[in-house]
């Protein structure tokens, strides 16, 4: 079973929402839980969790990866994301059950490889989450998305124009595939930003969550 750092609601009340934060390759949950720390004051009744990916990273066994990246091609992305998806699904199910919440109370947020996992898992869950947010990532298995989509959540994609790891063109391809499969998608391209998340992206993510978590007390 996956595990990682958590932030319980700052209000001290039972959680009414859950945000799952998915890190990139060569990282761990501690890297992404900082997003939760940034957002938690804005969403005091929301719980945040950032699971460590299931496998040790190929180049640093003290860190983690959702799947191996031996070469960067779309087929490898899809194979890896599909293989890791059941573990992430099981973790999400367990967290929702722990908090007594439903998929409609859930947002899935990913960075880089974590975005691939968010876009692999969320559309194939029986019930849609409230939102999917992807930073600096892309979709795996573009050609499979439409036929395998079970549920649709609104999507926000944020990408640096100067991304040296996943080119910004990926956000255009990913948004087009999602829209073709019936998703509502917003995209933000950040001038001057490489492979990372900046303050503008964090603010946009919070605003997006505020829209989908309409009953949040601010």
């Amino acid at each position: 079973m996956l595990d990682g750092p958590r932030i319980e609601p700052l209000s001290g009340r039972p959680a009414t929402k859950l945000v799952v934060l998915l890190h990139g390759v060569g990282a761990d949950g501690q890297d992404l839980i900082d997003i939760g720390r940034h957002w938690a004051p804005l969403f005091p009744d929301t719980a945040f969790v950032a699971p460590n990916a299931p496998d040790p990273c190929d180049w640093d066994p003290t860190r983690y990866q959702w799947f191996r990246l031996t070469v960067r091609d779309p087929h490898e992305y899809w194979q890896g994301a599909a293989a890791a998806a059941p573990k992430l699904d099981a973790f999400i199910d367990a967290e929702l059950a722990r908090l007594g919440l439903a998929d409609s109370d859930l947002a899935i947020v990913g960075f880089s490889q974590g975005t691939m996992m968010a876009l692999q898992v969320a559309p194939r869950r029986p019930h849609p989450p409230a939102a999917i947010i992807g930073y600096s990532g892309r979709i795996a298995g573009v050609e499979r998305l439409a036929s395998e989509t079970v549920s649709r959540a609104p999507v926000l994609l944020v990408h640096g124009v100067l991304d040296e790891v996943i080119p910004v063109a990926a956000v255009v391809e990913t948004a087009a595939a999602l829209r073709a499969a019936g998703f509502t998608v917003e995209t933000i391209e950040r001038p001057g930003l490489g492979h990372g998340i900046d303050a503008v992206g964090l603010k946009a993510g919070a605003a997006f969550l505020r829209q989908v978590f309409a009953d949040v007390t601010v």
Side-chain angles (χ1 to χ4, degrees):
M1 175 66 74
L2 305 181
D3 201 5
R6 292 173 175 81
I7 298 173
E8 300 301 330
L10 294 187
S11 68
R13 296 184 289 266
T16 61
K17 305 293 178 186
L18 171 66
V19 176
V20 177
L21 303 158
L22 307 177
H23 67 77
V25 65
D28 60 26
Q30 291 295 343
D31 287 340
L32 265 283
I33 200 65
D34 281 342
I35 296 177
R37 294 190 181 100
H38 187 86
W39 286 344
L42 304 174
F43 304 97
D45 291 326
T46 296
F48 298 84
V49 61
N52 297 321
D55 299 326
C57 178
D58 283 343
W59 60 82
D60 182 354
T62 68
R63 311 284 269 178
Y64 299 90
Q65 62 190 25
W66 294 98
F67 53 89
R68 175 173 290 182
L69 290 176
T70 53
V71 293
R72 290 177 178 170
D73 69 69
H75 183 64
E76 182 191 49
Y77 288 153
W78 181 82
Q79 280 189 318
K87 296 174 184 177
L88 179 54
D89 259 325
F91 175 81
I92 292 172
D93 288 342
E95 288 296 295
L96 289 173
R98 179 179 73 87
L99 297 170
L101 300 177
D103 278 75
S104 58
D105 305 313
L106 167 70
I108 305 177
V109 180
F111 171 74
S112 193
Q113 195 182 59
T115 293
M116 293 188 206
M117 291 307 304
L119 293 173
Q120 178 72 25
V121 166
R124 294 165 175 85
R125 287 181 66 80
H127 306 287
I132 307 165
I133 301 176
Y135 293 100
S136 301
R138 71 187 317 154
I139 202 162
V142 167
E143 71 284 355
R144 298 173 182 266
L145 178 66
S147 63
E148 295 183 2
T149 291
V150 176
S151 60
R152 294 167 178 82
V155 181
L156 171 66
L157 301 174
V158 185
H159 213 112
V161 171
L162 301 183
D163 195 322
E164 69 283 6
V165 177
I166 299 178
V168 69
V171 76
V172 178
E173 177 189 50
T174 296
L178 287 163
R179 289 177 180 131
F183 290 80
T184 300
V185 185
E186 296 180 28
T187 64
I188 298 173
E189 296 182 12
R190 292 292 303 130
L193 179 65
H195 194 62
I197 305 172
D198 64 4
V200 172
L202 284 175
K203 184 176 180 180
F208 194 70
L209 286 182
R210 187 173 287 113
Q211 291 176 15
V212 298
F213 289 168
D215 58 341
V216 167
T217 300
V218 178

